[in-house]
Amino acid sequence: MDWSFIGQHIPDYLSGAGVTLRFGLYGVGCSLLVGLICCLCRYFRVPVFTWLARLYTELARNTPLLVQLFFLYAGLPRVGVKLSADACAVIGLTFLGGAYMAEAFRSGLESVDQTQKEAGECIGLTRGQNIRYVLLPQALATAVPAIFANVIFLIKETSMFSVLAMMDLMNVADTLRTSGGRTVEVLFMLAAAYLLILMPVSLIAYWVERRLRYAGFGDQRPV
Amino acid sequence: MQVSGISVLFKGINFQRLLGGLWVTMRIALITIGLSVVFGLLFGLLMLSKNKVARAFCRLWLEIVRFMPQLVLLYVVYFGFARLFGWDLSGESSAVIVFTFWGTAELGDLIRGALTSIPAHQRESAAALGLTSRQIYRYILIPQTVRRLLPQAINLSTRIIKTTALVKMINVTEVLKVGQQIIGQFYRQPDAAFWVYFTIFLLYFLICWPISLLAGKLEKRWA
Amino acid sequence: MQTMLKVENVVKSFDGTGVLKGVSFTLDEGKVIVIVGPSGCGKSTLLRCINGLEQVDSGKIYLKDELISGRTRDMHLVRQKVGMVFQSYDLFPHMNVMQNLLLGPTKALRKNGEEVRREALAMLRRVGLEGKENALPRTLSGGQKQRVALVRAMLMHPELLLLDEITAALDPEMVSEVLNVVIDLARDGMTMAIVTHEMRFAEAVADQVLFLEDGMAAESGPPEQFFHHPQTERARRFLRSFSYESKNSRKEKQDE
């Protein structure tokens, strides 16, 4: 292992990690939003949108991100829709992640008893108030493990952004590998970098899940 | 004068070529799924064994799979192993190794989860009926485990199918690569790229969607 | 005296199975109607139709003079005036007792939080739950949860309160602590429609009894009549299934 090579290229990896993390987080943020909207459309059976949300989640969950990115980046411009690499990255990751987040929210909402919704309605809350104060807080608590699993999954998926010629971790490593030939060091640093990014995420997830478990709401149903 | 790029798909044997490319990844996926089932069973049992070393080993394996993007693992095996050990693995074999490494851990973890989720009183009440230990497994424990496991395992297999698209990044001539070749030949047809990538997108969807539907059906029926 | 609730010929079916087949009754302000009947007779569905948790197929329901059935918009405005408590308490598990109590008045009615809090503390004291305002629902017993649920409904100052088998899920020793609160409310003039299987309580609290069987009102009248001189064979059979003996009939037996 050539440590001086490693030391010399740490800045490259740092900038790569910056790209990975930044676009990963953009993607996660947008995915949460899209996922929430889709999930609420389906939960409240909003006409037409329920159907659209269903179609979208099925499409996004059953196709590879790599193919989605090729379609966005190399296919769409040929019919006049030109998107920058950055836009493709965020749209692609959101397209994929939104569907996964919608599933996480959906199973969270399904775990909230129907009677909770009715209890909220019975004290005169509007639909919006009921979602905000009664349903979502409980659904989120249940959905947290799935949401964090998706966050880790999505950050890992950013490794495909190299096909958009973005200088993320993967592409930084690939460029160094093809130019310098120090494959072992390059890949060692690449693996270490992903570990350093994802370990903290995993620890945060662990901490949040534990807190929620201790605050456990307990069983509401009569036995 | 313009003919739509969709016609490119039906020129000569282009469509068959795409399907041939798709088969390359499907073959990798099928071999991977087969191997993962075999090793996953062992992995799951190992995770439940009383041997601490074996459990720690599985834990480490699972964590590597959780934190490393599959693309990084592919690079490590395809480029890294050649440097480290002098193994000159083909792209396809590297892919089978990596995806089996991943599938084994994930499936093993699912098996562990399914086995531990069966409440103890199921075994106890079966024993109270005077069933032999073999009968308890045959009629009580295994059927319940399979019902929990099968939908999740089927979902995992669609994820494996989708992820095999990544082999394009280690120089395997699969469907995306074939698509690029076709687009290159028909560069006079500017919207060919749109239709080729759109077709690949649809092909993946048509393979994965029915499998997902099946998993959803089973999950609902057995919930 | 003003009519609080008027139910006219309400029909409701689920998947082609008729659950309510034309039920009518009126309830005056300050009065209590108790709805009894065998399980599956449509009692709960009737209550759920009144506050719009289920939509009626036909028939009309009026609160005072306002038509409240068949509405889909603004149903929350009706529900602000019609309180409901369920068998399964349905406190919000992620909120403590006080947050549970404040949610409706401060969000739905947009009242001042401090005032409601003072009122809530007074009501908690009245139902014997002093000092429980910061407790989480899961730390309370069933009887305590149900009393909190009653206070939560009362803090909305409803014109009408619907109680759907509120003691059905309770351990026997907790039933009376909840029912005493309801009897207290009735004494204060709260207008209520109550579904219950507690016949003794029903007799004590009712101004009017509605006996439902198979989605129809098989008998209705004042409690003295229903419990002591039921007019129909069905009602007699129903009361016998509870081996219900009213205070009077027990006295008669002792006299013999």
Side-chain angles (χ1 to χ4, degrees):
Chain A
M1 195 77 80
D2 184 344
W3 293 103
S4 73
F5 175 87
I6 289 180
Q8 190 188 331
H9 288 288
I10 282 180
D12 298 333
Y13 277 87
L14 279 179
S15 81
V19 173
T20 292
L21 206 55
R22 190 152 44 107
F23 283 91
L25 292 182
Y26 291 161
V28 166
C30 296
S31 297
L32 284 170
L33 197 67
V34 170
L36 188 61
I37 293 169
C38 277
C39 164
L40 291 178
C41 283
R42 292 186 66 175
Y43 187 76
F44 289 106
R45 303 206 172 81
V46 184
V48 187
F49 285 93
T50 312
W51 187 82
L52 283 177
R54 173 96 206 270
L55 179 73
Y56 153 66
T57 42
E58 294 292 352
L59 277 177
R61 284 171 60 84
N62 289 300
T63 47
L65 177 60
L66 194 64
V67 175
Q68 295 165 7
L69 291 177
F70 266 93
F71 179 73
L72 284 173
Y73 193 58
L76 280 184
R78 300 314 169 106
V79 289
V81 184
K82 286 202 170 58
L83 297 165
S84 69
D86 290 6
C88 283
V90 175
I91 293 173
L93 202 59
T94 303
F95 183 76
L96 178 77
Y100 277 84
M101 290 299 186
E103 280 299 299
F105 287 131
R106 188 184 60 84
S107 62
L109 268 181
E110 268 178 14
S111 75
V112 181
D113 242 308
Q114 186 71 13
T115 56
Q116 285 285 310
K117 185 175 151 210
E118 293 180 353
E121 287 171 358
C122 283
I123 53 169
L125 297 181
T126 62
R127 185 179 270 198
Q129 288 171 332
N130 209 2
I131 295 172
R132 185 168 154 206
Y133 299 110
V134 178
L135 299 176
L136 262 194
Q138 297 183 62
L140 280 180
T142 321
V144 155
I147 290 173
F148 272 107
N150 287 344
V151 170
I152 291 177
F153 166 67
L154 289 176
I155 293 178
K156 281 159 68 179
E157 292 287 286
T158 59
S159 57
M160 289 174 211
F161 289 172
S162 49
V163 301
L164 307 174
M166 288 175 67
M167 288 310 276
D168 74 320
L169 272 174
M170 195 71 216
N171 209 2
V172 164
D174 203 28
T175 313
L176 281 175
R177 184 186 64 78
T178 41
S179 61
R182 289 188 187 270
T183 307
V184 177
E185 285 82 356
V186 163
L187 293 178
F188 171 75
M189 288 177 79
L190 179 63
Y194 275 110
L195 201 64
L196 286 176
I197 288 179
L198 291 174
M199 280 277 258
V201 178
S202 174
L203 286 175
I204 294 171
Y206 180 70
W207 181 76
V208 173
E209 283 166 34
R210 254 172 70 103
R211 276 196 55 133
L212 282 174
R213 202 162 34 222
Y214 284 134
F217 306 137
D219 197 6
Q220 272 291 297
R221 289 219 141 241
V223 192
Chain B
M1 129 267 136
Q2 275 290 11
V3 195
S4 167
I6 199 168
S7 62
V8 164
L9 290 169
F10 305 107
K11 284 218 176 82
I13 54 162
N14 281 352
F15 197 71
Q16 280 105 305
R17 285 171 69 196
L18 278 182
L19 289 181
L22 196 61
W23 170 242
V24 172
T25 53
M26 288 310 135
R27 193 171 52 205
I28 295 173
L30 287 176
I31 298 172
T32 299
I33 291 168
L35 290 175
S36 298
V37 168
V38 176
F39 293 127
L41 266 171
L42 292 175
F43 190 96
L45 293 177
L46 213 56
M47 283 193 92
L48 288 170
S49 81
K50 296 200 169 67
N51 187 333
K52 270 195 180 149
V53 181
R55 285 212 312 264
F57 170 75
C58 291
R59 196 75 243 166
L60 182 70
W61 185 337
L62 199 58
E63 292 298 317
I64 293 175
V65 165
R66 270 188 65 198
F67 285 135
M68 285 302 125
Q70 279 95 7
L71 192 52
V72 173
L73 294 176
L74 277 178
Y75 266 53
V76 168
V77 172
Y78 185 68
F79 297 113
F81 281 14
R83 274 308 156 87
L84 272 175
F85 313 118
W87 299 350
D88 204 6
L89 295 165
S90 73
E92 288 191 43
S93 351
S94 306
V96 169
I97 293 172
V98 165
F99 295 143
T100 304
F101 179 77
W102 165 53
T104 297
E106 290 244 8
L107 190 66
D109 197 39
L110 290 181
I111 290 173
R112 180 199 56 79
L115 277 173
T116 48
S117 72
I118 299 174
H121 62 75
Q122 283 290 320
R123 180 197 291 272
E124 287 158 10
S125 50
L129 287 174
L131 297 185
T132 66
S133 147
R134 178 187 292 255
Q135 287 170 326
I136 294 176
Y137 270 96
R138 166 83 179 71
Y139 296 109
I140 311 294
L141 299 182
I142 291 177
Q144 291 192 50
T145 310
V146 167
R147 282 171 179 226
R148 301 233 172 184
L149 182 63
L150 211 54
Q152 296 170 312
I154 293 173
N155 269 329
L156 177 63
S157 69
T158 62
R159 276 162 62 208
I160 290 175
I161 292 173
K162 287 193 306 174
T163 312
T164 48
L166 285 181
V167 294
K168 182 191 179 297
M169 314 293 281
I170 51 169
N171 306 325
V172 176
T173 309
E174 49 64 78
V175 61
L176 277 169
K177 189 76 194 170
V178 173
Q180 284 179 316
Q181 290 168 354
I182 293 174
I183 293 161
Q185 285 165 5
F186 292 87
Y187 62 91
R188 283 169 206 285
Q189 188 73 51
D191 58 348
F194 173 84
W195 290 106
V196 167
Y197 290 127
F198 182 69
T199 306
I200 297 174
F201 181 88
L202 271 187
L203 285 174
Y204 267 103
F205 180 71
L206 289 177
I207 291 174
C208 293
W209 188 50
I211 306 178
S212 299
L213 283 184
L214 174 71
K217 276 243 165 64
L218 290 181
E219 201 168 359
K220 228 174 231 151
R221 163 134 39 111
W222 287 340
Chain C
M1 190 167 295
Q2 198 182 356
T3 300
M4 177 61 78
L5 178 70
K6 191 156 146 203
V7 173
E8 273 180 7
N9 218 12
V10 163
V11 173
K12 171 75 186 173
S13 59
F14 292 106
D15 303 322
T17 314
V19 179
L20 296 176
K21 302 169 183 171
V23 176
S24 307
F25 69 87
T26 55
L27 177 65
D28 287 338
E29 190 172 354
K31 297 291 183 192
V32 175
I33 184 167
V34 171
I35 303 164
V36 297
S39 44
C41 69
K43 305 171 298 231
S44 291
T45 306
L46 182 56
L47 285 196
R48 292 167 65 84
C49 285
I50 292 172
N51 83 336
L53 287 175
E54 310 288 353
Q55 289 290 322
V56 299
D57 295 341
S58 68
K60 293 200 163 74
I61 300 172
Y62 297 90
L63 183 71
K64 291 192 171 159
D65 293 320
E66 187 187 4
L67 179 69
I68 59 170
S69 59
R71 291 165 61 149
T72 45
R73 306 171 63 97
D74 298 340
M75 199 57 213
H76 65 280
L77 296 178
V78 173
R79 294 198 181 110
Q80 288 169 9
K81 292 183 267 182
V82 181
M84 183 157 183
V85 180
F86 302 89
Q87 167 182 341
S88 47
Y89 337 120
D90 303 303
L91 298 182
F92 306 125
H94 56 301
M95 301 178 175
N96 67 25
V97 168
M98 188 50 84
Q99 288 165 330
N100 263 283
L101 298 181
L102 292 184
L103 187 64
T106 57
K107 302 299 175 195
L109 301 179
R110 305 195 175 285
K111 281 191 182 170
N112 177 305
E114 257 325 296
E115 283 169 27
V116 185
R117 174 185 294 272
R118 240 172 288 140
E119 197 187 345
L121 285 173
M123 279 212 202
L124 282 176
R125 200 176 314 128
R126 202 176 131 189
V127 301
L129 289 174
E130 200 167 8
K132 290 287 186 192
E133 58 269 18
N134 293 322
L136 277 174
R138 72 189 153 98
T139 64
L140 301 178
S141 73
Q144 290 172 326
K145 280 187 221 180
Q146 200 57 294
R147 280 180 280 159
V148 174
L150 278 168
V151 173
R152 183 173 72 180
M154 287 306 297
L155 274 173
M156 297 292 290
H157 295 285
E159 297 179 359
L160 170 68
L161 188 60
L162 310 173
L163 306 181
D164 187 6
E165 300 198 35
I166 59 168
T167 58
L170 295 180
D171 289 334
E173 72 271 18
M174 294 173 180
V175 169
S176 64
E177 68 187 50
V178 172
L179 294 185
N180 286 338
V181 173
V182 178
I183 290 172
D184 222 31
L185 289 175
R187 212 169 284 145
D188 286 358
M190 186 70 222
T191 316
M192 290 187 275
I194 301 175
V195 167
T196 185
H197 284 297
E198 301 284 336
M199 291 303 140
R200 211 172 302 286
F201 160 72
E203 189 180 353
V205 80
D207 295 301
Q208 186 183 346
V209 179
L210 179 69
F211 173 59
L212 279 190
E213 192 175 69
D214 197 22
M216 282 175 290
E219 187 168 337
S220 87
E224 301 78 34
Q225 178 191 314
F226 178 77
F227 286 106
H228 305 302
H229 310 287
Q231 306 291 300
T232 58
E233 178 51 34
R234 292 167 143 191
R236 275 193 285 275
R237 212 180 316 129
F238 173 73
L239 287 171
R240 265 204 303 279
S241 73
F242 278 86
S243 33
Y244 180 74
E245 296 173 79
S246 66
K247 274 174 272 173
N248 297 351
S249 55
R250 257 176 296 143
K251 217 183 281 163
E252 282 161 22
K253 262 190 196 153
Q254 280 166 3
D255 293 344
E256 281 168 17

